[in-house]
Amino acid sequence: MEWENRPASLPETNAFPLTSHLVNALLRRGYDVVVYTNSNSIPEPIVLHDTHLTVCVSLEMKQPGRRFYKQEIEGLKQHILAYPADIISAFWTYEYAWAALRSGLPTVVSVHDVAYKILLKQFDVFRFVRFLMNEIVVRKTKHLVANSAYTYSILPAWIRKKTTIINNFYPEHLPDLLPETIVKGNYIVSVVQGFTKRKGIPLALKAFAKLRQQHPKLEYHLIGINYEENGLAHAYAKKHNLAEGVRFLGCMTSDELFKHVAGAKVMLHPSEEESFGMAVLEAMVAGTVVVGGKKSGFIPKLLDYGKAGILCDIRSAAAISEAAHRLLADASLRDSYERHARRFAAQHFSEDVIVEQHLNYYNNVLGKTHQPTIAPEAKAQNNVIAKASMVANVLGYTFL
């Protein structure tokens, strides 16, 4: 997030990029913001202050799911009551939202996944606990925001009645990271968090093996959790003789990742389902054409139904390989997709477009219009903001 004076004592917390993007967007627009999050690396709760930003960090204990996050919820609630805001935006329908609702303050809960669908695909104790927490939260809350039309469409009808759709967005600084001339490397890329069947990487590796027969010097770069060298994905690739030409790069900073994606000729996004698809959106902004699933949740809409990228049957290694080959063999085709994708992303998913929707919705919930603490142009003239780490999961907006 953006701090005028970043404290050295900022601990590791549960981080989610979209939360930090929204915090930064509100700060740039002159609002005071309170962040409520937690950490398992501190001995006691802490509160960090900046001129217009307060970060409250409560404790996260070991194996919180066994206790239904009882202590975490209580700690978050106490911080919310001690440092209240006019309205709280809680990301995800789990412990953060539950704590915000228990505080009694006006709360908007964001739905970024559908718990029962995840439980069906990954049935274990942890997911079952999360499913039960989700059921409690969606029943208690009055105001829900779905992060896409797809997420909204698979919610039960009684939940949709109190849900509005506000898409995810990319931060305004993202295009500024790109050089004037982007030099494409001889590689394709996937950005994935977690090596599971629903992410589709095993099939993508098989598709790449086929693709490399036509493009023998091409590399496939895998980025994200479980995709480091000698990690889970690498072990799978070696076991099935699919590691040749594949580089396992693991995690990167968000800026490094964006630049690396910008240097790729094609992004493969073989996920079976996406409630939104931030990796795809960032590739669109970066000018890298995407191959995604024609039935993969929100991906068809995000790729403008095939105008901003190629949609195929991502359950077929042959279909993925054929789509990628079409793009690799035709630079003008890639350029056409990339130009449309950038325009489409800017028109529908930019910070300016989406943050305005958030602010209008918060005003509707509160029944009144609030102005920023200071004028945005005055904030900009200060020119003393520096980026800091992502730490937020529950936001409180203070309108003075």
Side-chain angles (χ1 to χ4, degrees):
M1 290 182 304
E2 296 179 340
W3 299 73
E4 293 179 0
N5 299 287
R6 180 183 176 179
S9 57
L10 183 66
E12 286 190 15
T13 68
N14 287 323
F16 183 50
L18 286 175
T19 325
S20 292
H21 296 339
L22 187 50
V23 171
N24 291 339
L26 290 165
L27 291 172
R28 281 193 289 271
R29 286 156 179 78
Y31 292 97
D32 284 353
V33 180
V34 185
V35 176
Y36 313 101
T37 186
N38 52 16
S39 173
N40 58 15
S41 64
I42 53 175
E44 58 185 8
I46 60 173
V47 178
L48 306 171
H49 296 282
D50 194 35
T51 308
H52 297 282
L53 174 64
T54 299
V55 177
C56 303
V57 188
S58 56
L59 301 182
E60 181 180 62
M61 306 306 213
K62 292 182 179 179
Q63 298 180 316
R66 292 187 176 184
R67 297 171 280 97
F68 272 80
Y69 292 80
K70 181 179 179 180
Q71 290 170 271
E72 287 74 14
I73 292 169
E74 182 62 24
L76 288 162
K77 186 189 83 169
Q78 292 303 323
H79 264 154
I80 292 170
L81 293 174
Y83 298 90
D86 292 318
I87 189 168
I88 298 173
S89 177
F91 276 62
W92 306 86
T93 56
Y94 305 110
E95 67 270 29
Y96 298 102
W98 198 346
L101 292 169
R102 287 185 59 186
S103 75
L105 295 179
T107 296
V108 173
V109 177
S110 296
V111 185
H112 291 269
D113 59 26
V114 178
Y116 80 87
K117 290 184 72 72
I118 295 178
L119 180 64
L120 291 176
K121 290 179 179 291
Q122 297 174 232
F123 195 92
D124 55 36
V125 174
F126 173 75
R127 287 297 174 186
F128 183 65
V129 169
R130 303 293 274 180
F131 165 75
L132 293 177
M133 293 173 69
N134 169 83
E135 291 296 295
I136 292 169
V137 166
V138 297
R139 279 172 167 75
K140 287 180 175 291
T141 188
K142 296 179 181 178
H143 309 288
L144 285 165
V145 169
N147 70 336
S148 71
Y150 172 74
T151 301
Y152 178 87
S153 72
I154 57 178
L155 293 172
W158 67 273
I159 296 178
R160 291 200 299 268
K161 290 180 180 178
K162 55 181 178 180
T163 304
T164 192
I165 301 169
I166 302 179
N167 291 313
N168 292 346
F169 67 92
Y170 65 88
E172 66 176 22
H173 79 277
L174 209 57
D176 297 335
L177 297 175
L178 298 173
E180 277 191 37
T181 303
I182 299 173
V183 178
K184 295 288 186 179
N186 193 29
Y187 64 91
I188 62 176
V189 67
S190 289
V191 179
V192 193
Q193 302 305 329
F195 185 64
T196 61
K197 180 182 177 182
R198 64 192 291 265
K199 296 296 184 180
I201 294 301
L203 268 178
L205 287 167
K206 293 176 184 177
F208 176 68
K210 292 178 180 290
L211 193 60
R212 213 161 186 258
Q213 295 172 11
Q214 299 166 295
H215 306 271
K217 294 185 179 180
L218 185 70
E219 291 185 348
Y220 184 20
H221 295 185
L222 288 169
I223 303 172
I225 297 170
N226 296 150
Y227 293 90
E228 65 279 359
E229 191 171 351
N230 297 319
L232 290 177
H234 194 181
Y236 175 90
K238 288 189 289 187
K239 180 179 179 180
H240 294 87
N241 297 316
L242 296 171
E244 186 175 352
V246 184
R247 292 183 61 191
F248 297 86
L249 302 179
C251 295
M252 297 181 176
T253 67
S254 57
D255 287 0
E256 288 172 340
L257 186 153
F258 181 70
K259 292 174 183 177
H260 200 85
V261 168
K265 289 182 176 176
V266 175
M267 170 182 275
L268 299 186
H269 193 77
S271 178
E272 294 179 6
E273 182 187 34
E274 288 286 356
S275 65
F276 185 85
M278 281 303 298
V280 171
L281 177 59
E282 292 186 3
M284 293 165 68
V285 177
T288 297
V289 65
V290 177
V291 174
K294 60 184 178 181
K295 294 183 179 179
S296 298
F298 191 62
I299 297 302
K301 169 64 176 176
L302 187 56
L303 291 177
D304 198 14
Y305 300 104
K307 296 176 185 177
I310 290 185
L311 298 171
C312 70
D313 181 3
I314 48 79
R315 296 169 298 179
S316 165
I320 297 172
S321 177
E322 190 276 333
H325 171 65
R326 281 178 56 200
L327 293 168
L328 291 168
D330 190 340
S332 63
L333 180 64
R334 292 202 309 270
D335 182 65
S336 175
Y337 276 121
E338 289 164 1
R339 284 187 281 108
H340 184 87
R342 276 180 169 156
R343 288 196 302 269
F344 188 71
Q347 289 168 358
H348 298 279
F349 308 107
S350 67
E351 178 179 311
D352 282 344
V353 170
I354 302 301
V355 172
E356 189 65 24
Q357 293 176 22
H358 278 288
L359 290 171
N360 288 338
Y361 185 62
Y362 302 146
N363 286 334
N364 288 338
V365 170
L366 291 169
K368 53 185 176 180
T369 301
H370 290 78
Q371 298 300 321
T373 310
I374 59 174
E377 56 271 18
K379 180 100 174 156
Q381 289 171 3
N382 291 337
N383 200 28
V384 292
I385 299 176
K387 290 183 183 177
S389 302
M390 299 178 298
V391 301
N393 271 299
V394 184
L395 316 180
Y397 307 100
T398 301
F399 303 90
L400 300 179

